PDB file of all heavy atoms in Angstrom:
ATOM      1  N   ASN A1336      -9.528   7.675   6.319  1.00 98.00           N
ATOM      2  CA  ASN A1336      -9.779   9.060   6.757  1.00 98.00           C
ATOM      3  C   ASN A1336      -8.493   9.986   6.642  1.00 98.00           C
ATOM      4  O   ASN A1336      -8.665  11.151   6.269  1.00 98.00           O
ATOM      5  CB  ASN A1336     -10.292   9.074   8.185  1.00 98.00           C
ATOM      6  CG  ASN A1336     -11.673   8.610   8.376  1.00 98.00           C
ATOM      7  OD1 ASN A1336     -12.407   8.529   7.400  1.00 98.00           O
ATOM      8  ND2 ASN A1336     -12.005   8.173   9.577  1.00 98.00           N
ATOM      9  N   HIS A1337      -7.336   9.344   6.875  1.00 97.00           N
ATOM     10  CA  HIS A1337      -6.129  10.182   6.821  1.00 97.00           C
ATOM     11  C   HIS A1337      -5.946  10.666   5.315  1.00 97.00           C
ATOM     12  O   HIS A1337      -5.479  11.746   5.148  1.00 97.00           O
ATOM     13  CB  HIS A1337      -4.898   9.343   7.216  1.00 97.00           C
ATOM     14  CG  HIS A1337      -3.628  10.078   7.079  1.00 97.00           C
ATOM     15  ND1 HIS A1337      -3.200  10.921   8.062  1.00 97.00           N
ATOM     16  CD2 HIS A1337      -2.678  10.034   6.095  1.00 97.00           C
ATOM     17  CE1 HIS A1337      -2.014  11.388   7.671  1.00 97.00           C
ATOM     18  NE2 HIS A1337      -1.745  10.916   6.495  1.00 97.00           N
ATOM     19  N   PHE A1338      -6.370   9.818   4.369  1.00 97.00           N
ATOM     20  CA  PHE A1338      -6.153  10.234   2.961  1.00 97.00           C
ATOM     21  C   PHE A1338      -7.411  10.774   2.381  1.00 97.00           C
ATOM     22  O   PHE A1338      -7.491  10.876   1.179  1.00 97.00           O
ATOM     23  CB  PHE A1338      -5.632   8.992   2.166  1.00 97.00           C
ATOM     24  CG  PHE A1338      -4.224   8.638   2.486  1.00 97.00           C
ATOM     25  CD1 PHE A1338      -3.904   7.652   3.403  1.00 97.00           C
ATOM     26  CD2 PHE A1338      -3.239   9.389   1.863  1.00 97.00           C
ATOM     27  CE1 PHE A1338      -2.588   7.437   3.666  1.00 97.00           C
ATOM     28  CE2 PHE A1338      -1.896   9.127   2.144  1.00 97.00           C
ATOM     29  CZ  PHE A1338      -1.600   8.111   3.105  1.00 97.00           C
ATOM     30  N   GLU A1339      -8.451  11.020   3.132  1.00 96.00           N
ATOM     31  CA  GLU A1339      -9.629  11.543   2.758  1.00 96.00           C
ATOM     32  C   GLU A1339     -10.308  10.794   1.523  1.00 96.00           C
ATOM     33  O   GLU A1339     -10.688  11.307   0.575  1.00 96.00           O
ATOM     34  CB  GLU A1339      -9.511  13.045   2.305  1.00 96.00           C
ATOM     35  CG  GLU A1339      -9.051  13.885   3.439  1.00 96.00           C
ATOM     36  CD  GLU A1339      -8.788  15.398   3.175  1.00 96.00           C
ATOM     37  OE1 GLU A1339      -8.847  15.690   1.938  1.00 96.00           O
ATOM     38  OE2 GLU A1339      -8.688  16.102   4.084  1.00 96.00           O
ATOM     39  N   MET A1340     -10.362   9.432   1.728  1.00 97.00           N
ATOM     40  CA  MET A1340     -11.014   8.569   0.771  1.00 97.00           C
ATOM     41  C   MET A1340     -12.036   7.747   1.561  1.00 97.00           C
ATOM     42  O   MET A1340     -11.981   7.649   2.785  1.00 97.00           O
ATOM     43  CB  MET A1340      -9.984   7.668   0.060  1.00 97.00           C
ATOM     44  CG  MET A1340      -9.320   6.627   0.993  1.00 97.00           C
ATOM     45  SD  MET A1340      -8.204   5.545   0.111  1.00 97.00           S
ATOM     46  CE  MET A1340      -6.752   6.549  -0.176  1.00 97.00           C
ATOM     47  N   SER A1341     -12.853   7.062   0.871  1.00 97.00           N
ATOM     48  CA  SER A1341     -13.853   6.271   1.475  1.00 97.00           C
ATOM     49  C   SER A1341     -13.204   5.016   2.059  1.00 97.00           C
ATOM     50  O   SER A1341     -12.269   4.485   1.427  1.00 97.00           O
ATOM     51  CB  SER A1341     -14.980   5.845   0.566  1.00 97.00           C
ATOM     52  OG  SER A1341     -14.517   4.917  -0.405  1.00 97.00           O
ATOM     53  N   GLN A1342     -13.736   4.475   3.080  1.00 97.00           N
ATOM     54  CA  GLN A1342     -13.254   3.234   3.622  1.00 97.00           C
ATOM     55  C   GLN A1342     -13.414   2.063   2.642  1.00 97.00           C
ATOM     56  O   GLN A1342     -12.584   1.179   2.455  1.00 97.00           O
ATOM     57  CB  GLN A1342     -13.968   2.875   4.968  1.00 97.00           C
ATOM     58  CG  GLN A1342     -13.330   1.619   5.609  1.00 97.00           C
ATOM     59  CD  GLN A1342     -14.060   1.368   6.950  1.00 97.00           C
ATOM     60  OE1 GLN A1342     -14.789   2.152   7.467  1.00 97.00           O
ATOM     61  NE2 GLN A1342     -13.736   0.194   7.530  1.00 97.00           N
ATOM     62  N   TYR A1343     -14.467   2.144   1.849  1.00 97.00           N
ATOM     63  CA  TYR A1343     -14.809   1.109   0.856  1.00 97.00           C
ATOM     64  C   TYR A1343     -13.641   1.072  -0.233  1.00 97.00           C
ATOM     65  O   TYR A1343     -13.177   0.095  -0.574  1.00 97.00           O
ATOM     66  CB  TYR A1343     -16.097   1.394   0.129  1.00 97.00           C
ATOM     67  CG  TYR A1343     -16.380   0.488  -0.982  1.00 97.00           C
ATOM     68  CD1 TYR A1343     -16.829  -0.874  -0.775  1.00 97.00           C
ATOM     69  CD2 TYR A1343     -16.163   0.865  -2.316  1.00 97.00           C
ATOM     70  CE1 TYR A1343     -16.995  -1.676  -1.888  1.00 97.00           C
ATOM     71  CE2 TYR A1343     -16.400   0.033  -3.336  1.00 97.00           C
ATOM     72  CZ  TYR A1343     -16.778  -1.267  -3.140  1.00 97.00           C
ATOM     73  OH  TYR A1343     -16.937  -2.097  -4.239  1.00 97.00           O
ATOM     74  N   TYR A1344     -13.259   2.272  -0.693  1.00 97.00           N
ATOM     75  CA  TYR A1344     -12.214   2.460  -1.648  1.00 97.00           C
ATOM     76  C   TYR A1344     -10.906   1.897  -1.145  1.00 97.00           C
ATOM     77  O   TYR A1344     -10.191   1.107  -1.805  1.00 97.00           O
ATOM     78  CB  TYR A1344     -11.968   3.875  -2.211  1.00 97.00           C
ATOM     79  CG  TYR A1344     -10.922   4.043  -3.166  1.00 97.00           C
ATOM     80  CD1 TYR A1344     -11.010   3.389  -4.403  1.00 97.00           C
ATOM     81  CD2 TYR A1344      -9.821   4.847  -2.888  1.00 97.00           C
ATOM     82  CE1 TYR A1344      -9.946   3.564  -5.363  1.00 97.00           C
ATOM     83  CE2 TYR A1344      -8.852   4.958  -3.853  1.00 97.00           C
ATOM     84  CZ  TYR A1344      -8.929   4.348  -5.076  1.00 97.00           C
ATOM     85  OH  TYR A1344      -7.916   4.461  -5.980  1.00 97.00           O
ATOM     86  N   TYR A1345     -10.468   2.328   0.153  1.00 97.00           N
ATOM     87  CA  TYR A1345      -9.286   1.808   0.658  1.00 97.00           C
ATOM     88  C   TYR A1345      -9.373   0.261   0.833  1.00 97.00           C
ATOM     89  O   TYR A1345      -8.303  -0.414   0.505  1.00 97.00           O
ATOM     90  CB  TYR A1345      -8.965   2.399   2.000  1.00 97.00           C
ATOM     91  CG  TYR A1345      -7.622   1.988   2.553  1.00 97.00           C
ATOM     92  CD1 TYR A1345      -6.462   2.386   2.042  1.00 97.00           C
ATOM     93  CD2 TYR A1345      -7.617   0.999   3.556  1.00 97.00           C
ATOM     94  CE1 TYR A1345      -5.215   1.817   2.414  1.00 97.00           C
ATOM     95  CE2 TYR A1345      -6.395   0.468   3.994  1.00 97.00           C
ATOM     96  CZ  TYR A1345      -5.189   0.864   3.461  1.00 97.00           C
ATOM     97  OH  TYR A1345      -4.010   0.380   3.778  1.00 97.00           O
ATOM     98  N   ARG A1346     -10.484  -0.239   1.285  1.00 97.00           N
ATOM     99  CA  ARG A1346     -10.648  -1.713   1.432  1.00 97.00           C
ATOM    100  C   ARG A1346     -10.393  -2.394   0.083  1.00 97.00           C
ATOM    101  O   ARG A1346      -9.782  -3.438  -0.004  1.00 97.00           O
ATOM    102  CB  ARG A1346     -12.002  -2.032   1.960  1.00 97.00           C
ATOM    103  CG  ARG A1346     -12.175  -3.553   2.337  1.00 97.00           C
ATOM    104  CD  ARG A1346     -13.502  -3.888   2.890  1.00 97.00           C
ATOM    105  NE  ARG A1346     -14.147  -2.727   3.657  1.00 97.00           N
ATOM    106  CZ  ARG A1346     -15.384  -2.218   3.265  1.00 97.00           C
ATOM    107  NH1 ARG A1346     -16.070  -2.620   2.338  1.00 97.00           N
ATOM    108  NH2 ARG A1346     -15.844  -1.213   4.017  1.00 97.00           N
ATOM    109  N   GLN A1347     -10.929  -1.827  -0.994  1.00 96.00           N
ATOM    110  CA  GLN A1347     -10.803  -2.385  -2.303  1.00 96.00           C
ATOM    111  C   GLN A1347      -9.279  -2.417  -2.785  1.00 96.00           C
ATOM    112  O   GLN A1347      -8.800  -3.291  -3.369  1.00 96.00           O
ATOM    113  CB  GLN A1347     -11.594  -1.622  -3.329  1.00 96.00           C
ATOM    114  CG  GLN A1347     -13.101  -1.807  -3.159  1.00 96.00           C
ATOM    115  CD  GLN A1347     -13.551  -3.276  -3.157  1.00 96.00           C
ATOM    116  OE1 GLN A1347     -13.714  -3.938  -2.188  1.00 96.00           O
ATOM    117  NE2 GLN A1347     -13.752  -3.840  -4.360  1.00 96.00           N
ATOM    118  N   ILE A1348      -8.573  -1.296  -2.413  1.00 95.00           N
ATOM    119  CA  ILE A1348      -7.141  -1.285  -2.726  1.00 95.00           C
ATOM    120  C   ILE A1348      -6.442  -2.408  -1.962  1.00 95.00           C
ATOM    121  O   ILE A1348      -5.600  -3.152  -2.566  1.00 95.00           O
ATOM    122  CB  ILE A1348      -6.533   0.049  -2.270  1.00 95.00           C
ATOM    123  CG1 ILE A1348      -7.071   1.225  -3.180  1.00 95.00           C
ATOM    124  CG2 ILE A1348      -5.050   0.015  -2.381  1.00 95.00           C
ATOM    125  CD1 ILE A1348      -6.658   2.614  -2.737  1.00 95.00           C
ATOM    126  N   GLU A1349      -6.729  -2.601  -0.728  1.00 94.00           N
ATOM    127  CA  GLU A1349      -6.084  -3.713   0.087  1.00 94.00           C
ATOM    128  C   GLU A1349      -6.453  -5.135  -0.526  1.00 94.00           C
ATOM    129  O   GLU A1349      -5.596  -5.974  -0.416  1.00 94.00           O
ATOM    130  CB  GLU A1349      -6.543  -3.654   1.538  1.00 94.00           C
ATOM    131  CG  GLU A1349      -5.696  -2.641   2.320  1.00 94.00           C
ATOM    132  CD  GLU A1349      -5.830  -2.899   3.874  1.00 94.00           C
ATOM    133  OE1 GLU A1349      -6.627  -3.797   4.308  1.00 94.00           O
ATOM    134  OE2 GLU A1349      -5.269  -2.115   4.588  1.00 94.00           O
ATOM    135  N   LYS A1350      -7.615  -5.233  -1.032  1.00 92.00           N
ATOM    136  CA  LYS A1350      -8.026  -6.486  -1.664  1.00 92.00           C
ATOM    137  C   LYS A1350      -7.401  -6.679  -3.062  1.00 92.00           C
ATOM    138  O   LYS A1350      -7.587  -7.751  -3.690  1.00 92.00           O
ATOM    139  CB  LYS A1350      -9.572  -6.628  -1.646  1.00 92.00           C
ATOM    140  CG  LYS A1350     -10.145  -6.787  -0.339  1.00 92.00           C
ATOM    141  CD  LYS A1350     -11.627  -6.864  -0.455  1.00 92.00           C
ATOM    142  CE  LYS A1350     -12.317  -7.149   0.921  1.00 92.00           C
ATOM    143  NZ  LYS A1350     -13.769  -7.300   0.829  1.00 92.00           N
ATOM    144  N   GLY A1351      -6.833  -5.590  -3.602  1.00 88.00           N
ATOM    145  CA  GLY A1351      -6.194  -5.698  -4.908  1.00 88.00           C
ATOM    146  C   GLY A1351      -7.312  -5.582  -5.987  1.00 88.00           C
ATOM    147  O   GLY A1351      -7.058  -5.998  -7.131  1.00 88.00           O
ATOM    148  N   ARG A1352      -8.465  -4.945  -5.693  1.00 88.00           N
ATOM    149  CA  ARG A1352      -9.561  -4.830  -6.570  1.00 88.00           C
ATOM    150  C   ARG A1352      -9.766  -3.505  -7.167  1.00 88.00           C
ATOM    151  O   ARG A1352     -10.569  -3.246  -8.044  1.00 88.00           O
ATOM    152  CB  ARG A1352     -10.801  -5.279  -5.920  1.00 88.00           C
ATOM    153  CG  ARG A1352     -10.868  -6.696  -5.534  1.00 88.00           C
ATOM    154  CD  ARG A1352     -12.190  -7.058  -4.934  1.00 88.00           C
ATOM    155  NE  ARG A1352     -12.208  -8.475  -4.541  1.00 88.00           N
ATOM    156  CZ  ARG A1352     -13.009  -8.913  -3.580  1.00 88.00           C
ATOM    157  NH1 ARG A1352     -13.928  -8.211  -3.027  1.00 88.00           N
ATOM    158  NH2 ARG A1352     -12.934 -10.272  -3.269  1.00 88.00           N
ATOM    159  N   ALA A1353      -8.979  -2.513  -6.635  1.00 89.00           N
ATOM    160  CA  ALA A1353      -9.191  -1.133  -7.096  1.00 89.00           C
ATOM    161  C   ALA A1353      -7.858  -0.684  -7.777  1.00 89.00           C
ATOM    162  O   ALA A1353      -6.750  -0.845  -7.231  1.00 89.00           O
ATOM    163  CB  ALA A1353      -9.550  -0.158  -5.927  1.00 89.00           C
ATOM    164  N   ASN A1354      -7.973  -0.016  -8.892  1.00 82.00           N
ATOM    165  CA  ASN A1354      -6.775   0.649  -9.523  1.00 82.00           C
ATOM    166  C   ASN A1354      -6.582   1.946  -8.739  1.00 82.00           C
ATOM    167  O   ASN A1354      -7.474   2.618  -8.263  1.00 82.00           O
ATOM    168  CB  ASN A1354      -7.058   0.859 -10.985  1.00 82.00           C
ATOM    169  CG  ASN A1354      -6.947  -0.358 -11.768  1.00 82.00           C
ATOM    170  OD1 ASN A1354      -6.343  -1.281 -11.468  1.00 82.00           O
ATOM    171  ND2 ASN A1354      -7.822  -0.454 -12.761  1.00 82.00           N
ATOM    172  N   THR A1355      -5.312   2.329  -8.676  1.00 86.00           N
ATOM    173  CA  THR A1355      -4.942   3.523  -8.052  1.00 86.00           C
ATOM    174  C   THR A1355      -3.832   4.230  -8.775  1.00 86.00           C
ATOM    175  O   THR A1355      -3.403   3.633  -9.843  1.00 86.00           O
ATOM    176  CB  THR A1355      -4.623   3.379  -6.579  1.00 86.00           C
ATOM    177  OG1 THR A1355      -4.447   4.604  -5.985  1.00 86.00           O
ATOM    178  CG2 THR A1355      -3.356   2.498  -6.381  1.00 86.00           C
ATOM    179  N   THR A1356      -3.266   5.314  -8.331  1.00 86.00           N
ATOM    180  CA  THR A1356      -2.232   6.066  -9.038  1.00 86.00           C
ATOM    181  C   THR A1356      -0.911   5.857  -8.416  1.00 86.00           C
ATOM    182  O   THR A1356      -0.887   5.546  -7.141  1.00 86.00           O
ATOM    183  CB  THR A1356      -2.612   7.569  -9.155  1.00 86.00           C
ATOM    184  OG1 THR A1356      -2.587   8.061  -7.822  1.00 86.00           O
ATOM    185  CG2 THR A1356      -3.926   7.832  -9.868  1.00 86.00           C
ATOM    186  N   ILE A1357       0.092   6.074  -9.084  1.00 86.00           N
ATOM    187  CA  ILE A1357       1.464   6.041  -8.484  1.00 86.00           C
ATOM    188  C   ILE A1357       1.499   7.081  -7.435  1.00 86.00           C
ATOM    189  O   ILE A1357       2.205   6.868  -6.368  1.00 86.00           O
ATOM    190  CB  ILE A1357       2.510   6.287  -9.574  1.00 86.00           C
ATOM    191  CG1 ILE A1357       2.673   5.080 -10.469  1.00 86.00           C
ATOM    192  CG2 ILE A1357       3.866   6.607  -8.876  1.00 86.00           C
ATOM    193  CD1 ILE A1357       3.218   3.856  -9.846  1.00 86.00           C
ATOM    194  N   MET A1358       0.957   8.242  -7.681  1.00 92.00           N
ATOM    195  CA  MET A1358       0.925   9.349  -6.586  1.00 92.00           C
ATOM    196  C   MET A1358       0.361   8.847  -5.276  1.00 92.00           C
ATOM    197  O   MET A1358       0.906   9.034  -4.213  1.00 92.00           O
ATOM    198  CB  MET A1358       0.225  10.535  -7.150  1.00 92.00           C
ATOM    199  CG  MET A1358       0.304  11.754  -6.160  1.00 92.00           C
ATOM    200  SD  MET A1358      -0.559  13.185  -6.755  1.00 92.00           S
ATOM    201  CE  MET A1358       0.445  13.709  -8.086  1.00 92.00           C
TER     202      MET A1358
END
Side-chain angles (χ1 to χ4, degrees):
N1336 287 340
H1337 179 82
F1338 288 97
E1339 298 179 348
M1340 67 176 76
S1341 73
Q1342 186 177 350
Y1343 174 80
Y1344 178 63
Y1345 182 75
R1346 186 177 333 118
Q1347 294 301 98
I1348 293 172
E1349 278 195 1
K1350 289 181 178 182
R1352 294 183 183 160
N1354 287 326
T1355 188
T1356 65
I1357 289 291
M1358 182 180 291

